[in-house]
Amino acid sequence: MNIELICSGSELLTGKLNTHAGFIGGKLNDLGLNLSLVTTVADRKKEFSAVLEDAVRRSSVIIVTGGLGPTFDDITVETVSEILNVDTYKDESVQKSIVQYFEKRGISNPAQNNERQAQILKGAKVLENRFGTAPGQMLHFQYNVDENKKVRKTIFLLPGPPKEMCPMFEENVIPFMKSYQAKIKKTLVLHICGMAESLVDEKIKPTIDYLANNDDIEFAILAHKYLIDVKVSVSGENELTIDDTIKNINQEFINVLGDNIYGYNSDTLEGVVQKMLIEKKQTVSVAESCTGGMLAAKLTDTAGSSNCFKMSVVTYSNESKMQLLDVKNETLEKFGAVSVETAKEMLDGIINLSGADFAVSITGIAGPGGGTKDKPVGLVYIGTSFKGKNEVNKFLFLGTRQDIRERAVNVALDCLRRLILKQQL
């Protein structure tokens, strides 16, 4: 069965990141299904019509994202209507829900253009949009293969914004696609930090090689900013057998990767750290320089952070390091702002200021300028402290300014995680 995705939107061809293929492809893969083709097309009738005609001819399920808004370039419904030769009608209940959506936001008279979003293909099921005004649609239609043969096909029309499209896909498309699921498929994603991708690959390779001839087991590895994901997918007809297989593979990986594994599936590094702190009823404060508050932002991304996060200080200049964290002028003059000594004094300063159980400090050179032979761009010192005992590690990160900052934050979180683990032993 061919499942095809059409992403409509001129903006997707001029620099805007299109995340739809990754999200939809991943969700289908979890069901043991795959996208056969992904096409991104501009909001131009001629081009969109040509792409849609080809999709209708070759695929059993067509998923269209985008083009359901109220403006002149939102042409999805009218184009599908023409290609499938299906009339549209104004759905009064949809119109009413659009008016109510705006009323909740203090707008009593939405623009007439919004009425376009109430145009529904005859025979289509309206898919509720809980996060926007454009409803989705699901339509089953007959396609004439030849004079003597007709086949039933299905087309989904979903809104373009990910915050609207993703929940609509999960609530409506996935239940439909499960009817095509030939096998049960389960996936486990292991999140790893503290090891190079090549070393992770070397450690898990014996297990992968041992299972290489089993077509029902798939492995994938992905590295991003010092974080590594190892994905294990197992297919079959017996759910208990699948669960046992995943459990055994996971144990093999735990044996060789140890506490470098910081979480699974939807876990985030910052979320794991937060949970560890809250369980121990302990707190953390951070002092940042080159990362400019990015570590604090990560630690407060997850709800409940007020239970463990005390405060953050961004001391970007030498003056602020001295004024706010009591970093000594002599330390800065002798060793420089990017040094072990400064990182340690930043730790002492934030602990004295906040009274937190744990502290983290970051000072470095994110670039692109400012580096020297002795202190190149990418040099970062990351300090951690627990009850007055300080430890500072030196790192040399590669990449752009943003890469260096993001990698420094991820490593800082992992250093904090490992320090918390030590206290639990």
Side-chain angles (χ1 to χ4, degrees), residues 20-190:
H20 291 179
F23 173 81
I24 291 175
K27 292 295 181 180
L28 291 175
N29 183 65
D30 289 341
L31 297 175
L33 303 170
N34 294 292
L35 284 170
S36 57
L37 186 67
V38 178
T39 306
T40 302
V41 63
D43 299 312
R44 291 188 286 268
K45 193 72 168 287
K46 183 178 180 181
E47 296 168 22
F48 186 67
S49 296
V51 168
L52 186 58
E53 283 182 337
D54 288 340
V56 167
R57 172 180 51 79
R58 66 190 164 214
S59 297
S60 301
V61 178
I62 304 108
I63 302 167
V64 181
T65 63
L68 300 182
T71 57
F72 68 91
D73 57 348
D74 293 307
I75 59 173
T76 293
V77 173
E78 62 182 84
T79 306
V80 172
S81 172
E82 292 174 8
I83 297 300
L84 299 185
N85 194 26
V86 175
D87 292 334
T88 64
Y89 69 98
K90 181 180 177 181
D91 189 304
E92 295 298 335
S93 62
V94 171
Q95 176 61 23
K96 183 179 179 181
S97 68
I98 292 173
V99 171
Q100 291 174 341
Y101 178 90
F102 282 104
E103 286 178 345
K104 289 179 181 177
R105 287 152 181 78
I107 302 173
S108 57
N109 294 304
Q112 287 188 342
N113 281 357
N114 286 102
E115 293 186 6
R116 296 182 60 193
Q117 296 177 302
Q119 292 297 313
I120 304 298
L121 298 164
K122 282 190 175 180
K125 177 184 177 182
V126 176
L127 310 180
E128 180 187 5
N129 186 342
R130 296 187 290 108
F131 301 97
T133 57
Q137 301 185 42
M138 177 180 73
L139 177 69
H140 303 301
F141 62 94
Q142 295 290 332
Y143 177 74
N144 298 326
V145 178
D146 53 43
E147 292 182 358
N148 302 312
K149 185 178 180 181
K150 294 182 179 181
V151 294
R152 192 183 88 149
K153 300 192 175 191
T154 303
I155 187 167
F156 288 92
L157 310 184
L158 306 178
K163 68 175 183 178
E164 300 175 32
M165 187 278 292
C166 294
M168 190 179 292
F169 183 90
E170 291 183 320
E171 293 164 10
N172 298 278
V173 183
I174 287 180
F176 171 79
M177 297 308 304
K178 282 184 176 179
S179 63
Y180 291 95
Q181 190 175 8
K183 290 184 176 181
I184 300 171
K185 185 173 185 178
K186 290 193 173 185
T187 297
L188 179 71
V189 181
L190 296 82

Side-chain angles (χ1 to χ4, degrees), residues 344-413:
K344 285 183 177 179
E345 292 189 14
M346 289 172 69
L347 286 173
D348 292 334
I350 193 64
I351 286 287
N352 292 334
L353 195 61
S354 69
D357 299 299
F358 291 90
V360 182
S361 65
I362 303 177
T363 181
I365 305 169
T372 65
K373 182 179 179 181
D374 293 331
K375 294 185 177 182
V377 169
L379 174 65
V380 178
Y381 289 97
I382 296 175
T384 54
S385 177
F386 177 69
K387 295 190 180 301
K389 185 177 180 180
N390 298 343
E391 181 179 337
V392 177
N393 290 293
K394 174 183 176 181
F395 299 91
L396 187 60
F397 300 117
L398 301 177
T400 66
R401 176 181 177 85
Q402 188 65 13
D403 290 336
I404 291 167
R405 283 153 56 96
E406 290 182 15
R407 285 169 177 157
V409 167
N410 287 335
V411 171
L413 284 167

